[in-house]
Amino acid sequence: MCGVGTGPDDLQLTTVPTTSPQATIDQIIAFFRDQAGRELSAVGIGAFGPVDLHPESPTFGFITSTPKVGWQQYDLASTLYRALQVPIGFDTDVNAAAAGEARWGAGRGLPNFLYLTVGTGIGGGALVNGEVIHGLLHPEMGHIRIPHDLAADPFPGSCPYHKDCLEGLASGPAMQARWGKRAQELPADHPAWALEAHYLALGLATWVCTVSPERILLGGGVMQQASLFPMIRQELLRLLNGYIDAKPLLNEIDSYVAPPELGNRAGVLGAMVLAEHIYRNPSARIGAPLAGEDAWR
Ligand code: ZN
């Protein structure tokens, strides 16, 4: 998803399918070059990952060990820099979405919250003290290990790295592999949803206890099943069992575990926040060109 503008009100969007890197990036570049009469100041990228976010690394701005065919070790950020010649801000898709929700959505005014997407994969971005977490690599919240009762759920899990990590048990493809139907086709009263709520609540309980978010936003294709929200809230409270004595959790659970306000625009609006950040903070210009050089850092 590509967008141009200064915020939600003047955002112009287009979507291109993710196919081969060459075909996909050619369409993205064409979209940005095509903005007749509007001058780009900077570009922000929220990329599927894993990605390299370390400015001193030779593969900074690359997509690294993704299972997506053709995209392993792909030099995404500098390819766009060479084509567009503007500063590039770069982060994961979920960190970007968290930044978008922080600025214009359900994370406004909250220095600590989580954004989680549950769809073809599971990924999370965490804002802590007003900044998205990077650290060693970047959070890979979908790949935490959770209790898996094989007697209740014999499905072995679908993650190519871990089998039954959270993503391997609860992503859209895991649901499809377990039940033989796409998540969208499973009716609201199907037992799939109680199991899904249980697994997601196990993840949420872990992050409540480790990251202490003030709110948790759940987006992505699987979360379009609206009946999942109350089930997750109830299961989260059951798992925590009264131990976390905090008003937003105990008294305001409907807004504590909530959908993102920006919907599927959270990521692209967050990328705009990344672009603005790189534009306004020249000293922090990860991705700014050095004077006179055709290098993006
Ligand atoms: Zn995994």
Side-chain angles (χ1 to χ4, degrees):
M1 189 179 285
C2 304
V4 171
T6 61
D9 297 337
D10 66 352
L11 182 66
Q12 289 186 355
L13 280 178
T14 195
T15 304
V16 302
T18 304
T19 56
S20 71
Q22 183 76 52
T24 308
I25 297 300
D26 283 353
Q27 288 184 74
I28 290 172
I29 290 168
F31 169 76
F32 284 114
R33 282 187 174 153
D34 227 30
Q35 299 300 314
R38 302 178 95 187
E39 190 187 340
L40 288 180
S41 301
V43 167
I45 305 171
F48 63 82
V51 295
D52 187 341
L53 298 177
H54 288 290
E56 71 282 6
S57 161
T59 55
F60 176 50
F62 280 47
I63 291 169
T64 59
S65 53
T66 177
K68 279 193 174 51
V69 177
W71 290 87
Q72 291 95 350
Q73 303 304 322
Y74 181 71
D75 186 3
L76 177 59
S78 74
T79 300
L80 285 179
Y81 172 71
R82 284 193 298 273
L84 301 170
Q85 297 284 314
V86 294
I88 306 282
F90 185 65
D91 214 320
T92 66
D93 45 8
V94 281
N95 274 350
E101 289 291 328
R103 176 74 173 272
W104 289 298
R108 270 170 305 178
L110 296 177
N112 306 285
F113 74 91
L114 289 187
Y115 174 93
L116 197 76
T117 181
V118 187
T120 53
I122 296 181
L127 230 82
V128 173
N129 297 332
E131 300 278 349
V132 289
I133 299 183
H134 291 138
L136 176 69
L137 177 69
H138 46 72
E140 281 286 350
M141 297 188 194
H143 296 270
I144 61 168
R145 317 309 299 255
I146 56 170
H148 177 200
D149 179 354
L150 278 162
D153 174 23
F155 177 64
S158 64
C159 175
Y161 287 88
H162 317 115
K163 289 286 186 194
D164 59 355
C165 63
L166 177 60
E167 178 172 299
L169 289 173
S171 64
M175 293 185 75
Q176 183 170 359
R178 181 189 291 107
W179 302 106
K181 271 185 179 174
R182 285 153 53 87
Q184 299 94 304
E185 293 162 3
L186 295 166
D189 60 357
H190 193 282
W193 297 110
L195 187 66
E196 182 71 4
H198 173 63
Y199 287 144
L200 294 175
L202 282 165
L204 266 53
T206 298
W207 301 313
V208 167
C209 295
T210 51
V211 186
S212 209
E214 296 164 276
R215 181 167 289 165
I216 298 174
L217 304 176
L218 300 176
V222 170
M223 295 310 303
Q224 301 312 303
Q225 174 56 261
S227 66
L228 198 47
F229 273 95
M231 295 165 90
I232 292 170
R233 291 172 185 135
Q234 191 179 19
E235 183 67 356
L236 174 62
L237 292 175
R238 187 187 73 80
L239 291 169
L240 292 172
N241 199 25
Y243 181 68
I244 305 293
D245 186 7
K247 185 163 165 274
L249 185 65
L250 298 178
N251 299 348
E252 298 156 12
I253 186 74
D254 288 358
S255 61
Y256 185 76
V257 176
E261 277 180 20
L262 302 176
N264 68 357
R265 300 192 307 162
V268 73
L269 284 165
M272 199 172 285
V273 175
L274 300 178
E276 189 185 85
H277 182 76
I278 209 82
Y279 181 73
R280 293 203 171 167
N281 298 281
S283 64
R285 274 193 180 185
I286 299 166
L290 302 170
E293 291 183 25
D294 185 28
W296 83 293
R297 63 196 162 84

